[in-house]
Amino acid sequence: MVLDGYTLNPGDLSWQDLEQFGDLTIYDRTAYDNMTIIQNIADAEIVFTNKTPLPEEVLIKTKHIKYIGVLATGYNVVDIEVAKKLGIIVTNVPAYSTAAVAQFTMALLLEMCHHVGSHNTAVKEGLWSSSLDFCFWKHPLIELQGKTIGIIGFGRIGQATARLAQAFGLMVLIYSRRREPEAETEYCTFVDLEELLAKSDIISLHCPLSESTQGIINMNNINKMKDGVMIINTSRGGLVVEKDLSRALKSGKVYSAAVDVVSSEPIGLDNPLLKAKNCIITPHIAWAPLESRQRLMDVAIKNLEAYLNGTPVHVVNF
């Protein structure tokens, strides 16, 4: 049973390899209602979910489930402690989107620096054709060479982003729970959070959401940053206190921000970032290139195969 297959596979991938393991039912979407979720699970022993929640109330009423495959890296949609008590194996898919998210992070940064989309629109609206000069620009243009990017979180995506940043000539500061001296170079060093906030021209978030990182981008920390800092979030929306970031954008303390994730998704019409000055918002798509989604599909199938062979991998609750 796949509870919400559309996001992973809107039609450009194939579920065929999953069919070899038994009768397969795929729902494009399942309403986030416990009774509907239970109804859709029916008597399935193997359940895949991306964002459809499987809380205690669902699990205790579907005790026939033996395996839950989360079609993502984050697995907070499943009550893994209850699953463990019920003997249900839960797996995830780590590292499938590393290259895609790091690439998207740099795409957001380059858009903030060059406003490619806005200038393309301006040309097609005739502004270049009517210009008195051979060129024009609507926004300030920013060169990255020699500037400093602070990366909060140094897992696989943070590391990949650091490598790309250095290729653009950026100095890299890293704040992470674990210091890795072998990763340090002339252009890449570990620092504490206070130093990162004070010295970075750009701050990019790549840490998991936890009690210690919840709202790490708040007014108190923003006030410690350089005037005109740029902020990027391709990790989790809860890392940012959105009303604080909106205020800082309005005041100019933060020059611009780009977020691919927000606190509640899909984004609510009352989200303060929607009306914030100089704020790019994309709909949680950093992970979603075809190649990345195919990799996710492949690993999810291998996870199930390993479980059925009695050698489960990527288990998150045992």
Side-chain angles (χ1 to χ4, degrees), residues 68-75 90-94 299 303 313-316:
I68 297 171
V70 180
L71 298 172
T73 301
Y75 48 86
V90 182
T91 66
N92 73 335
V93 182
V299 174
N303 283 352
V313 296
H314 301 143
V315 177
V316 298

Side-chain angles (χ1 to χ4, degrees), residues 52-67:
T52 302
L54 295 173
E56 179 179 8
E57 294 80 0
V58 169
L59 295 177
I60 61 177
K61 292 182 180 179
T62 53
K63 294 181 180 179
H64 49 276
I65 297 176
K66 293 181 170 60
Y67 174 89

Side-chain angles (χ1 to χ4, degrees), residues 79-121:
D79 190 324
I80 59 172
E81 292 304 318
V82 171
K84 181 176 181 179
K85 291 176 183 177
L86 295 172
I88 302 169
I89 294 286
V90 182
T91 66
N92 73 335
V93 182
Y96 73 91
S97 64
T98 299
V101 177
Q103 175 181 308
F104 196 81
T105 300
M106 299 310 293
L108 292 175
L109 177 56
L110 292 172
E111 178 64 19
M112 287 194 289
C113 290
H114 296 290
H115 304 274
V116 173
S118 174
H119 285 107
N120 172 62
T121 298

Side-chain angles (χ1 to χ4, degrees), residues 151-153 175 193 197 203-219 221-222 225 231-245 259-265 273:
I151 294 176
I152 298 178
Y175 171 67
L193 181 59
L197 296 173
I203 293 176
S204 189
L205 302 174
H206 299 286
C207 54
L209 181 62
S210 65
E211 286 186 14
S212 62
T213 61
Q214 176 85 35
I216 194 169
I217 301 300
N218 55 55
M219 192 56 69
N221 280 340
I222 289 172
M225 299 176 191
I231 296 175
I232 305 168
N233 186 13
T234 54
S235 187
R236 289 291 181 266
L239 299 173
V240 175
V241 179
E242 290 163 339
K243 61 180 177 58
D244 289 355
L245 179 56
V259 301
D260 186 51
V261 288
V262 291
S263 56
S264 179
E265 298 173 347
L273 294 181

Side-chain angles (χ1 to χ4, degrees), residues 103-166:
Q103 175 181 308
F104 196 81
T105 300
M106 299 310 293
L108 292 175
L109 177 56
L110 292 172
E111 178 64 19
M112 287 194 289
C113 290
H114 296 290
H115 304 274
V116 173
S118 174
H119 285 107
N120 172 62
T121 298
V123 169
K124 292 178 178 178
E125 288 176 346
L127 296 187
W128 192 16
S129 301
S130 61
S131 174
L132 297 177
D133 305 301
F134 76 95
C135 72
F136 77 97
W137 52 92
K138 294 183 64 180
H139 309 276
L141 305 176
I142 299 170
E143 183 178 277
L144 292 174
Q145 176 78 28
K147 289 184 171 56
T148 298
I149 184 170
I151 294 176
I152 298 178
F154 204 59
R156 291 183 179 92
I157 296 173
Q159 293 171 38
T161 301
R163 290 192 294 271
L164 294 178
Q166 289 177 80

